[in-house]
Amino acid sequence: MPANNSELPDLSPAVPPRWGELLGPEHRGAAVVLAAGVLVGAVNIYLASSMLPTAVAELGGESFYAWNMTLYLVAMVIATMLVSRCLVRWGSAGAYLIGFALFLVGSLACAASPTMPVLLVGRCLQGLGAGLLSGLGFAVIRSALPRRLWTRGNALMSAMYGVGNFAGPALGGLFAQFGSWRLAFVLMAGVAAGCGVAVPRVLPRGERGGAVAPVPVVAMTLAMAATAAVSVAGILPGTMARAAGIAVALLLAAGFLAHERRSARRVFPAATYRAGSALKWVYLTLGLLSFGVSVESFVPLFGQRLAGLPPLAAGFFGAAVSLGWSLTQIGSSSAVREHTVRRLRTTGPVLLALGFLVQGLLQRENASIGWFIIWVPVLCLAGSGIGLAYPHLSVAAMASAADPEEGRQAAAAIATVTTMSTAFGTAVAGVLVGLGGGSMLGSARWLLFGFAVLCALGIVTARAADRQVPC
């Protein structure tokens, strides 16, 4: 595809490759390491949150409670922006070793932390490693897998976010219940060590060489500030305070984009800002899909308060969106015809918004088991919208540039968009829940209807991404 053409290319084979080809002897090692890197980062977004009350009871430092998620997400965003530069300097295997090493050291620091500030330092190191691994998971697909497996590879990578959202709270809650929160971090360190040992054997050393682009300090600072502002907004008391925090974050995000457009030192590839380019619409659609997953922050609460579910069952109920996301990608990634792929990219946001709309209409006070049985598939339907579109949008971003360096940058930015959108979504969810006042039913409806409207914007951006507009 020419770099100045906005049309999204169809690079899929005439016949879809089987999953067995991706997970067969030739590519299994690379696929497992790439997937594990994304998974450990996704699991640890919520793993520590589930265990933090237990950790605070032992370490103290309750005033630092809210910084656990904020520092982790900010560190992740920073690291995802450095992926393409790490690949140029250290190559695929070297960059992965650094990512797993950072995550391992951070996990051990958390496990051994004598005080809450030390735990937060460990979380920062974990976030840096997780962000680097998440970005590498998408960027290294270009060199580790043949082009015909890109869609399958992207489906596997993005499914790891869904699996992580499902497993993180459950795993953290399990370890916390038995008072063994430190062992959870030891387990994560062990996973990182095992993957790190496998890296030199299964990943290519390619991607290394060429001049390393200067670090976009201003752009990264603005993005970091926006992520921090929206993360803090999510835990501020009061709806107005949260709304103000989100407004500040949006202003910082606008400043980030304005600087990126006119600067030679960018986080996103130049094609993102080129007139007529589809890439900006691809990223916006990916962002709105990732934004929708944030309802899971409050769905367990609604399950407990409206349906009387026990905490463990409510936690699994809250992961229904992620479950739908992960399962749907198994079938979605088989699509190869250009018309079908385009249809999936536009149908995904429709199902996501429709699922939230229907779920909002189904909310009831003192809901019976019958209502709960209906709620689960509806949330899975919403998540399936993400699964339909996400892998194909990811491939579209990866294939948006003929230049290899810009292609790596475009692929790595998928993780940046996903992480920032998750942070923004969590904060917006907090504001919408606050609008319900003292009514849990009102809060549930504000959240679900609000997300239905916001995620429906993805229909517009997906159509814009598919529109062929010559530059």
Side-chain angles (χ1 to χ4, degrees), residues 73-434:
L73 288 175
V74 169
M76 276 193 75
V77 170
I78 292 172
T80 59
M81 295 179 181
L82 297 173
V83 167
S84 60
R85 291 163 178 82
C86 289
L87 282 173
V88 172
R89 182 179 294 275
W90 292 295
S92 302
Y96 256 99
L97 287 173
I98 292 171
F100 280 122
L102 284 170
F103 188 85
L104 186 153
V105 172
S107 298
L108 291 178
C110 290
S113 54
T115 62
M116 185 57 68
V118 176
L119 178 66
L120 294 180
V121 171
R123 288 289 282 168
C124 285
L125 291 173
Q126 272 193 322
L128 289 173
L132 188 55
L133 294 170
S134 297
L136 287 169
F138 292 96
V140 175
I141 285 176
R142 292 174 59 94
S143 61
L145 300 176
R147 181 172 288 185
R148 68 181 182 279
L149 292 178
W150 280 9
T151 302
R152 293 291 198 196
N154 274 288
L156 183 63
M157 295 306 103
S158 56
M160 293 302 100
Y161 284 112
V163 174
N165 289 346
F166 183 86
L171 189 62
L174 181 65
F175 276 94
Q177 184 167 341
F178 291 99
S180 303
W181 63 271
R182 295 181 187 273
L183 287 180
F185 288 116
V186 173
L187 175 63
M188 292 294 102
V191 172
C195 291
V197 169
V199 163
R201 298 199 304 269
V202 302
L203 290 184
R205 295 182 178 273
E207 311 283 347
R208 186 174 181 177
V212 179
V215 175
V217 176
V218 176
M220 287 182 60
T221 301
L222 289 168
M224 179 179 65
T227 306
V230 76
S231 299
V232 171
I235 48 89
L236 287 175
T239 301
M240 292 303 296
R242 289 178 178 173
I246 292 175
V248 170
L250 289 174
L251 287 174
L252 290 167
F256 164 80
L257 292 174
H259 174 79
E260 282 256 300
R261 290 181 67 90
R262 64 174 186 271
S263 174
R265 300 182 180 184
R266 296 185 179 94
V267 171
F268 292 100
T272 310
Y273 307 100
R274 190 176 296 131
S277 171
L279 187 54
K280 57 180 171 290
W281 301 113
V282 169
Y283 283 143
L284 283 171
T285 309
L286 282 168
L288 288 165
L289 292 172
S290 305
F291 182 92
V293 183
S294 303
V295 299
E296 293 185 336
S297 300
F298 291 94
V299 166
L301 177 64
F302 301 150
Q304 291 185 56
R305 299 290 180 84
L306 298 179
L309 297 176
L312 184 60
F316 284 109
F317 167 57
V321 174
S322 290
L323 182 64
W325 173 5
S326 300
L327 293 178
T328 304
Q329 289 180 126
I330 297 173
S332 169
S333 60
S334 299
V336 296
R337 296 180 182 275
E338 182 177 359
H339 175 74
T340 304
V341 168
R342 288 176 179 271
R343 182 65 61 85
L344 290 174
R345 287 195 297 245
T346 53
T347 302
V350 174
L351 288 180
L352 182 62
L354 181 63
F356 290 152
L357 175 63
V358 174
Q359 186 72 5
L361 294 172
L362 292 175
Q363 297 302 290
R364 295 288 187 279
E365 293 274 12
N366 301 315
S368 65
I369 187 65
W371 284 107
F372 170 69
I373 292 174
I374 297 173
W375 287 354
V376 173
V378 171
L379 285 176
C380 284
L381 173 70
S384 71
I386 306 173
L388 287 180
Y390 198 106
H392 299 291
L393 289 164
S394 299
V395 170
M398 287 172 55
S400 63
D403 177 67
E405 170 56 29
E406 193 169 73
R408 289 194 295 265
Q409 191 178 17
I414 295 169
T416 304
V417 170
T418 300
T419 304
M420 291 190 70
S421 296
T422 301
F424 269 86
T426 302
V428 172
V431 171
L432 291 173
V433 167

Side-chain angles (χ1 to χ4, degrees), residues 40-57:
V40 295
V43 165
N44 275 272
I45 292 177
Y46 297 110
L47 175 72
S49 297
S50 302
M51 302 186 299
L52 209 59
T54 306
V56 167

